[in-house]
Amino acid sequence: MLSEHTINFRVRYSEADTMGYLHHSRFFQYFEIGRIELLRAAGHAYAELERQGVFFVVVKAEVRFKSPARFDDEVTLTTRIIHQTTVRIDHEYELKRGSTLLATAATTIACVGRDGKLCPIPDQLILR
Amino acid sequence: MLSEHTINFRVRYSEADTMGYLHHSRFFQYFEIGRIELLRAAGHAYAELERQGVFFVVVKAEVRFKSPARFDDEVTLTTRIIHQTTVRIDHEYELKRGSTLLATAATTIACVGRDGKLCPIPDQLILR
Amino acid sequence: MLSEHTINFRVRYSEADTMGYLHHSRFFQYFEIGRIELLRAAGHAYAELERQGVFFVVVKAEVRFKSPARFDDEVTLTTRIIHQTTVRIDHEYELKRGSTLLATAATTIACVGRDGKLCPIPDQLILR
Amino acid sequence: MLSEHTINFRVRYSEADTMGYLHHSRFFQYFEIGRIELLRAAGHAYAELERQGVFFVVVKAEVRFKSPARFDDEVTLTTRIIHQTTVRIDHEYELKRGSTLLATAATTIACVGRDGKLCPIPDQLILR
């Protein structure tokens, strides 16, 4: 499977706060888009996985906010798989506006079934 | 069933936009809280209804924004059932800060099953 | 100025609710994107207008929800200016997934200054 | 100043995702409420600080998600100041439902002026 993906998008009006900055909670919604698009680029639709009963839940997240993003900024998100076990995937993220680094982050997601219990990551998603 | 309910809460930081105003899309999240709390005051938990396969979807909404709400404002929401058929409920809403009217609104919600198809509103929710 | 614009995007994971449907409040965030992109297509950046002290606030909104949108659905939003006065603009919206109509809506926005008071729409934004 | 505060609230419908879980990005909005209410309990309104040109931005955040929260769950958030310098405050958080631990987290916030540049935390907010 592909292990890195880059996507560009604009900060939406409804995502910025009173300071005019992208609200810090929104970064996690961007990182989720990064994971989903990395998966899609590798040929897998997360929506389809969920219909099959395969879910990924975030178990750990760490972010360092370096510089604010503002409404209408064009930002670039790079998402990278850095480690994978039979049930967990570790991603790293870099969010930039041009050459300005806005945030770096790392998450661990775990594969669970409909019951919320850990289950092995399906074979076709294994990074080789 | 009860047909009117009033609730107070504060505008959250993450709900205000760059203008410092409660984002207009957020009013609909407040109205939803109003419907859910009206239901609870009448003895019904919407979460429990959903577990039983009874869902309510919004089919129509109308809002007039009169005055902005800002972060940390204490607002008062009054939710009222104004009409009910076997499958639909019409609500009206008034959002105020003190005596200042912030918005008036009306919605129609419809009762659907797990399949998203219209189904009769359960007996115990019928307004008499 | 251009008076119609169409844009495509995908429903994000964080925008869907427990029913798996795009939450109804989110439609208003989409319509806002529609207005901003229609403006951009006409050569104006709303972020720049705000820096100059020109703001648009929503004073009225009406939506009819026809069919649910789900996470990862590719949707098409058409935004149309249907009426304009010296201080107000009326838009209409159509949200579709392929040929399926998901929602129709109408909003009225008003031009205000930094003080939140009505002010004339800048000349360059006047529809001719 | 007070250094610990506990608040209870319910998970809102619009905050849960397709899995029926409180979306992980929402936890950060809860932690922000925790910080703001801790400040209020100590006699300070964050809205007022912002009007005076004192802002706090999140520079670092870490969360461990232990167990999901669902729509309508009553959760308890404990927010604690664990370290403070002239420009930064470190908080720790615990989110629980009854005795079940849902998440633990830590953030660092920094005091900035209207220009976004670091500035000393006002005297009255200094923990003694």
Side-chain angles (χ1 to χ4, degrees):
Chain A
M1 221 189 87
L2 264 181
S3 68
E4 183 173 322
H5 185 259
T6 295
I7 186 176
N8 296 287
F9 43 86
R10 275 185 194 277
V11 174
R12 296 176 175 181
Y13 193 80
S14 61
E15 295 173 337
D17 62 19
T18 302
M19 297 189 67
Y21 296 170
L22 175 63
H23 192 264
H24 66 281
S25 66
R26 301 290 186 170
F27 286 72
F28 296 89
Q29 300 175 4
Y30 284 12
F31 301 148
E32 184 172 65
I33 294 172
R35 289 192 301 275
I36 288 167
E37 294 306 321
L38 167 54
L39 207 55
R40 193 189 320 279
H44 305 285
Y46 182 63
E48 183 51 34
L49 288 175
E50 283 209 349
R51 276 189 289 272
Q52 294 167 9
V54 177
F55 298 84
F56 283 98
V57 293
V58 179
V59 293
K60 203 170 78 175
E62 272 182 47
V63 197
R64 276 153 200 270
F65 301 96
K66 306 290 189 179
S67 187
R70 287 180 177 78
F71 160 56
D72 221 37
D73 278 356
E74 287 190 274
V75 296
T76 303
L77 173 64
T78 301
T79 304
R80 204 173 284 127
I81 296 182
I82 55 159
H83 186 67
Q84 192 164 330
T85 70
T86 49
V87 291
R88 286 189 173 76
I89 309 175
D90 293 338
H91 289 84
E92 271 184 2
Y93 312 85
E94 251 185 27
L95 190 71
K96 290 181 157 189
R97 182 188 52 243
S99 61
T100 305
L101 184 61
L102 305 177
T104 58
T107 60
T108 299
I109 58 173
C111 190
V112 301
R114 280 191 210 288
D115 56 2
K117 297 231 168 89
L118 277 183
C119 73
I121 296 172
D123 240 30
Q124 74 268 30
L125 302 182
I126 303 294
L127 213 73
R128 289 172 213 286
Chain B
M1 223 190 84
L2 267 181
S3 69
E4 183 172 322
H5 185 259
T6 295
I7 186 176
N8 296 287
F9 42 85
R10 275 184 194 279
V11 174
R12 296 177 175 179
Y13 193 80
S14 61
E15 295 172 338
D17 63 18
T18 301
M19 297 189 67
Y21 295 172
L22 177 64
H23 193 262
H24 66 281
S25 66
R26 301 289 186 171
F27 286 71
F28 296 89
Q29 300 175 4
Y30 284 12
F31 301 148
E32 185 173 64
I33 294 172
R35 290 193 299 275
I36 287 167
E37 295 306 322
L38 167 53
L39 206 56
R40 193 190 318 279
H44 305 286
Y46 181 62
E48 183 51 33
L49 288 175
E50 283 208 350
R51 277 189 289 272
Q52 293 167 11
V54 177
F55 299 83
F56 283 97
V57 292
V58 179
V59 293
K60 203 169 79 173
E62 271 185 46
V63 198
R64 276 154 200 270
F65 302 95
K66 305 291 188 179
S67 187
R70 285 180 178 77
F71 160 56
D72 221 38
D73 277 356
E74 286 189 276
V75 296
T76 302
L77 173 65
T78 301
T79 305
R80 205 172 284 127
I81 296 181
I82 55 158
H83 186 66
Q84 190 164 330
T85 70
T86 50
V87 291
R88 284 189 174 73
I89 309 175
D90 292 339
H91 290 85
E92 272 184 2
Y93 313 85
E94 250 185 27
L95 190 71
K96 289 182 157 188
R97 183 189 50 242
S99 61
T100 305
L101 185 60
L102 305 178
T104 59
T107 59
T108 299
I109 59 173
C111 189
V112 301
R114 278 190 211 288
D115 56 1
K117 298 230 167 91
L118 276 183
C119 72
I121 296 171
D123 242 30
Q124 74 266 30
L125 302 183
I126 302 295
L127 214 73
R128 289 172 213 287
Chain C
M1 222 189 85
L2 265 182
S3 68
E4 183 173 323
H5 185 259
T6 295
I7 185 175
N8 297 286
F9 42 87
R10 276 186 192 276
V11 174
R12 296 177 175 179
Y13 193 80
S14 61
E15 295 172 337
D17 62 19
T18 301
M19 297 188 67
Y21 295 171
L22 177 64
H23 192 263
H24 66 282
S25 66
R26 302 289 186 170
F27 286 71
F28 296 89
Q29 299 175 3
Y30 284 11
F31 301 148
E32 184 173 64
I33 294 172
R35 290 193 299 276
I36 287 167
E37 295 306 322
L38 167 53
L39 207 55
R40 194 191 318 279
H44 305 286
Y46 181 61
E48 183 51 33
L49 288 175
E50 282 209 351
R51 277 189 289 271
Q52 293 167 11
V54 177
F55 299 83
F56 283 98
V57 292
V58 179
V59 294
K60 203 169 78 174
E62 272 183 47
V63 197
R64 276 155 198 270
F65 301 97
K66 305 292 189 179
S67 187
R70 287 182 178 78
F71 159 56
D72 222 37
D73 277 356
E74 287 190 274
V75 296
T76 302
L77 173 64
T78 300
T79 305
R80 203 172 285 127
I81 295 181
I82 55 158
H83 186 66
Q84 191 164 330
T85 71
T86 50
V87 291
R88 284 189 173 75
I89 309 175
D90 293 339
H91 290 84
E92 272 183 4
Y93 312 86
E94 250 185 29
L95 189 71
K96 290 181 156 189
R97 181 189 52 242
S99 61
T100 305
L101 185 61
L102 305 178
T104 59
T107 60
T108 299
I109 59 174
C111 190
V112 301
R114 278 190 211 288
D115 56 1
K117 299 230 167 92
L118 276 183
C119 73
I121 296 171
D123 243 30
Q124 75 268 28
L125 302 183
I126 304 294
L127 215 72
R128 291 173 209 288
Chain D
M1 222 189 87
L2 265 181
S3 67
E4 183 172 322
H5 185 259
T6 295
I7 186 177
N8 295 287
F9 42 86
R10 274 185 194 278
V11 175
R12 297 177 174 179
Y13 193 79
S14 61
E15 295 173 338
D17 62 19
T18 302
M19 297 188 67
Y21 295 171
L22 175 64
H23 192 263
H24 66 281
S25 66
R26 301 289 186 171
F27 285 71
F28 296 89
Q29 299 175 4
Y30 284 13
F31 301 147
E32 185 173 63
I33 293 172
R35 289 192 301 274
I36 288 166
E37 294 306 322
L38 166 55
L39 207 56
R40 194 190 318 279
H44 305 285
Y46 182 62
E48 183 51 32
L49 288 175
E50 282 209 351
R51 277 190 289 271
Q52 293 167 11
V54 177
F55 299 83
F56 283 98
V57 292
V58 179
V59 293
K60 204 169 79 174
E62 272 183 47
V63 197
R64 276 155 199 271
F65 302 97
K66 307 288 190 181
S67 187
R70 286 180 179 76
F71 160 56
D72 222 36
D73 278 356
E74 287 190 275
V75 296
T76 303
L77 174 64
T78 301
T79 304
R80 203 172 286 127
I81 296 181
I82 54 157
H83 186 66
Q84 191 164 330
T85 70
T86 49
V87 292
R88 286 189 172 76
I89 309 176
D90 292 339
H91 290 84
E92 272 183 4
Y93 313 85
E94 250 185 29
L95 189 71
K96 290 181 157 189
R97 182 189 53 242
S99 61
T100 305
L101 184 60
L102 305 177
T104 59
T107 59
T108 299
I109 59 172
C111 190
V112 300
R114 279 190 211 288
D115 55 2
K117 298 232 167 91
L118 278 183
C119 72
I121 296 171
D123 242 31
Q124 75 268 27
L125 301 183
I126 303 294
L127 213 75
R128 290 172 213 287

